[in-house]
Amino acid sequence: MTAPGTPSQTVGPYLSIGLSWAEGPAVVAADTPGAVWLRGEIRDGDGAVVKDALVETWQADPDGRFHTPGFRGLGRCPTGDDGRYAIRTVKPGVVADQAPHLAVSVFARGLLHRVVTRVYFADEAAANAADPVLARVPGERRGTLIAEQSADGYRFDIILQGPDETVFFAL
Amino acid sequence: MTSPHPPLLSPGYKSTVLRAPRQAPILLPHTLTELTGPVLGEGPVAAADADLTRDGGGEAQGQRIVVHGQVRDADGRPVPDTLLEVWQANAAGRYRHKWDGHDAPLDPHFAGVGRTMTDAQGHYRFVTVKPGAYPWGNHPNAWRPAHIHFSLFGRAFTQRLVTQMYFPDDPLFAYDPIYHSVPEFARDRLVAGFDLSATVESWALGFRFDIVLTGAAATPMETR
């Protein structure tokens, strides 16, 4: 039996009422070995920051395993008035033949359904070069999926629209 | 199968114009990353979180309602033990949010947020008040139909869904670009049904809102 799918709708401007968790940005505790901050900002087609968005991340643990007891794997952070988000996590391990990566959903006012992207890591150049998903992305746009190293982890900006538009995926 | 989802660029809803990506999305193969998803367990949810009407030591104003339904996947199978989060305006049409400047009263006993887990058969139930309609700035004299925001994880990253539940026979449907962004054949899937069997006599009206998550999920298996 096939069931008729429920349509998506926008989270609207007041998403933080329902979707903010105090512990949301902490995929791991601060004292976890290898803990890093993934930070970035979200911008629209005019280059304006998006201050009513939510970033969610899903990932394997450092050994490339999902659903490890004690490892939630989920990060969630609304953007602030400056359009920025921050998630504290650990770099995942290799999953099958893929380079370390996070799956990312972005929700916002003005997005009638989520957009999906991936975070790869600049210091995994060799693994990235062999990654089968990155291989599907035109070379000149691949850089939008690579988080650069920063003082306390990595930086990953999300550009919803425009010349530097982030690569988004269809599931 | 035709997608029930709205197109990201729906110019009647003005905020989509600068936020909808313009490049075509790239098809993502379903790897283990996409076919798994967060398993949150009961940890973050208390039984009281399914009753939105009793914040701050008193009772919320408004028409008390029970909202319930079943969450299923595209094959019609129940989705058990998944987190369902809701948020909404109060009975006067006001959100408890710093950006909501609507000239309508806040309610000290209504925060407008609830959480629950589906049971073993995918059923959920919460108690709230019917939200009011409210004005917004999309176009002159624009009003959103009464709605409750829903967020669900399902069993896999592919199944993640955020949507809005509407109430039957709302005259504002005809003027709402967010409701109209959904393909016509699927719009009624967002409208709850009045459900006499879910009413509580002398206490609350009942509505039923069933939800179907369309994304693929892995057959339950060990991943290591």
Side-chain angles (χ1 to χ4, degrees):
Chain A
M1 183 179 83
T2 303
T6 302
S8 172
Q9 294 271 265
T10 178
V11 290
Y14 308 128
L15 68 145
S16 62
I17 295 173
L19 299 178
S20 287
W21 297 348
E23 72 284 13
V27 181
V28 297
D31 58 357
T32 304
V36 291
W37 281 100
L38 178 72
R39 300 179 189 272
E41 64 183 25
I42 305 184
R43 293 199 296 270
D44 71 11
D46 268 350
V49 297
V50 176
K51 58 185 185 177
D52 41 19
L54 179 81
V55 174
E56 277 184 0
T57 58
W58 167 243
Q59 64 172 99
D61 72 8
D63 297 320
R65 298 180 302 197
F66 292 94
H67 298 157
T68 314
F71 185 74
R72 190 177 70 194
L74 171 73
R76 167 186 264 197
C77 186
T79 53
D81 289 350
D82 55 2
R84 293 176 180 271
Y85 73 94
I87 289 171
R88 187 176 61 217
T89 188
V90 287
K91 193 198 288 183
V94 169
V95 176
D97 58 348
Q98 302 179 78
H101 64 275
L102 312 184
V104 178
S105 300
V106 181
F107 303 86
R109 172 176 66 84
L111 289 180
L112 283 161
H113 54 80
R114 67 170 170 170
V115 290
V116 168
T117 187
R118 276 187 170 197
V119 174
Y120 288 86
F121 299 90
D123 53 342
E124 297 282 349
N128 292 343
D131 183 83
V133 172
L134 282 175
R136 292 176 170 235
V137 177
E140 69 276 13
R141 299 191 67 205
R142 225 169 269 164
T144 70
L145 301 177
I146 310 291
E148 298 295 333
Q149 287 181 279
S150 66
D152 61 358
Y154 295 90
R155 172 154 185 147
F156 186 77
D157 291 341
I158 297 167
I159 312 301
L160 293 175
Q161 189 190 93
D164 301 320
E165 190 173 304
T166 299
V167 168
F168 298 105
F169 293 102
L171 289 168
Chain B
M1 188 172 65
T2 307
S3 170
H5 300 301
L8 281 165
L9 181 60
S10 297
Y13 174 24
K14 288 184 180 170
S15 299
T16 67
V17 174
L18 283 173
R19 294 187 170 190
R22 297 301 172 94
Q23 302 272 352
I26 292 171
L27 188 63
L28 184 62
H30 289 172
T31 74
L32 200 54
T33 306
E34 289 73 38
L35 294 174
T36 54
V39 178
L40 297 165
E42 296 280 355
V45 178
D49 293 343
D51 184 347
L52 284 71
T53 68
R54 293 173 177 276
D55 293 318
E59 284 208 77
Q61 299 279 343
Q63 171 70 63
R64 194 184 294 117
I65 60 174
V66 171
V67 178
H68 78 120
Q70 187 182 30
V71 182
R72 293 178 297 155
D73 67 17
D75 294 323
R77 291 175 300 204
V79 179
D81 306 319
T82 193
L83 178 65
L84 193 155
E85 298 169 281
V86 296
W87 70 103
Q88 63 170 88
N90 68 23
R94 177 90 184 264
Y95 285 90
R96 192 182 287 187
H97 191 287
K98 62 181 178 180
W99 294 338
D100 187 354
H102 177 32
D103 180 16
L106 286 169
D107 182 339
H109 303 304
F110 192 78
V113 57
R115 294 175 185 170
T116 191
M117 303 289 289
T118 59
D119 69 13
Q121 279 73 48
H123 291 286
Y124 74 90
R125 178 182 188 273
F126 61 91
V127 175
T128 184
V129 295
K130 186 177 178 186
Y134 59 85
W136 62 311
N138 190 73
H139 56 275
N141 200 19
W143 292 80
R144 292 297 330 279
H147 61 274
I148 299 175
H149 295 268
F150 276 67
S151 168
L152 298 101
F153 283 94
R155 281 189 296 243
F157 181 77
T158 56
Q159 291 185 332
R160 185 84 176 88
L161 178 71
V162 171
T163 190
Q164 298 179 23
M165 182 202 98
Y166 298 93
F167 291 85
D169 304 320
D170 194 319
L172 292 171
F173 288 157
Y175 310 100
D176 183 46
I178 294 180
Y179 174 78
H180 276 269
S181 68
V182 173
E184 187 170 7
F185 72 89
R187 286 176 199 158
D188 62 358
R189 300 175 194 171
L190 295 180
V191 183
F194 174 67
D195 185 356
L196 188 68
S197 72
T199 60
V200 180
E201 190 171 354
S202 304
W203 194 73
L205 291 179
F207 291 90
R208 178 161 185 142
F209 182 55
D210 293 330
I211 297 166
V212 175
L213 308 176
T214 52
T219 304
M221 53 179 263
E222 292 297 317
T223 55
R224 58 193 165 101

